Amino acid sequence: MKTHGVRAQQREQTRQALLRESRRLFAERGYGAVSLSEIVAEAGVTKGALYHLFESKAELFRAVLEQVQQEVAETVARTADVHDDLWTRLTVGCQAFLTASTAPGVQRIMLVDGPAVLGWNEWRAMDEAASARHLADALTDLIEEGTLAPQPVAPLTHLLSGAMNEAALWLAASDDPANLPATQAALARLLEALRSEARAG
């Protein structure tokens, strides 16, 4: 039993080393420019050890993407959940997503290489599991509360999620530091327009 425990610990240490180094390399240079040989050399393991844990470079990337998406989702939730008001939670959470997604490594892995490497359908499913589901829950609560007008949640969720992803991509490619506050202000106006519709009704 003790030997089994040591092996499991070594396996997890190897996995973490591969995730850490491949994430760094993918963030710096992009998926296509990084080889498995580089990854195992940086992680200090053999290719055999890598293939024991991951079937392919794409599967390793998927694990990295999952880690990045989870971290962004946790950041958003942590930032939003300190507020009791549902509307404030939504707006603060959306702004937190925008800020977290503009980090160069996050942007490249999550928004650029993610859909290209895994395909749009798989990437969307992962995005849905990591963050879109939470956005849908927040919108549902606001509709039930009466802060937002009654409407189907799914299309609204995809519209807002797509807008924020596209904005994050644009910001990451921009050299102008003024673009982030300008985009945050535009997002705030977009969200406020949704609330105004309910008030007008």
Side-chain angles (χ1 to χ4, degrees):
M1 290 295 290
K2 188 177 288 187
T3 303
H4 178 73
V6 170
R7 283 180 183 166
Q9 186 178 26
Q10 289 173 337
R11 177 186 170 96
E12 182 56 25
Q13 287 174 345
T14 299
R15 185 177 184 277
Q16 291 304 320
L18 287 166
L19 287 174
R20 181 179 63 251
E21 296 305 323
S22 60
R23 177 173 175 172
R24 180 178 61 80
L25 291 168
F26 291 150
E28 288 174 359
R29 291 166 38 212
Y31 177 85
V34 178
S35 69
L36 284 178
S37 297
E38 289 178 274
I39 293 170
V40 296
E42 292 294 324
V45 303
T46 64
K47 270 195 179 178
L50 183 148
Y51 283 122
H52 188 63
L53 293 164
F54 302 99
E55 289 183 4
S56 63
K57 179 180 162 187
E59 188 181 321
L60 174 59
F61 176 82
R62 188 187 193 285
V64 169
L65 173 60
E66 195 170 37
Q67 186 182 68
V68 170
Q69 286 180 322
Q70 189 59 41
E71 287 176 10
V72 169
E74 287 170 1
T75 297
V76 171
R78 189 168 57 248
T79 306
D81 288 349
V82 299
H83 301 278
D84 293 326
D85 178 68
L86 291 178
W87 178 253
T88 305
R89 278 190 186 182
L90 174 71
T91 56
V92 167
C94 287
Q95 297 288 3
F97 173 83
L98 202 58
T99 302
S101 299
T102 55
V106 170
Q107 176 262 340
R108 186 191 286 266
I109 291 170
M110 191 169 80
L111 300 175
V112 178
D113 284 345
V117 174
L118 300 178
W120 184 249
N121 288 336
E122 185 174 357
W123 179 85
R124 263 183 60 189
M126 292 177 69
D127 182 60
E128 181 107 12
S131 59
R133 179 170 48 85
H134 300 295
L135 177 59
D137 290 343
L139 293 171
T140 299
D141 290 342
L142 285 163
I143 290 169
E144 290 175 354
E145 184 185 64
T147 301
L148 294 181
Q151 59 192 291
V153 171
L156 182 59
T157 301
H158 286 289
L159 281 167
L160 286 177
S161 180
M164 288 188 288
N165 283 338
E166 179 61 30
L169 268 173
W170 177 69
L171 285 168
S174 169
D175 294 328
D176 188 349
N179 282 336
L180 178 57
T183 304
Q184 289 172 325
L187 176 59
R189 287 192 295 270
L190 178 65
L191 293 171
E192 188 57 42
L194 291 173
R195 185 164 65 161
S196 298
E197 180 190 359
R199 286 174 174 170

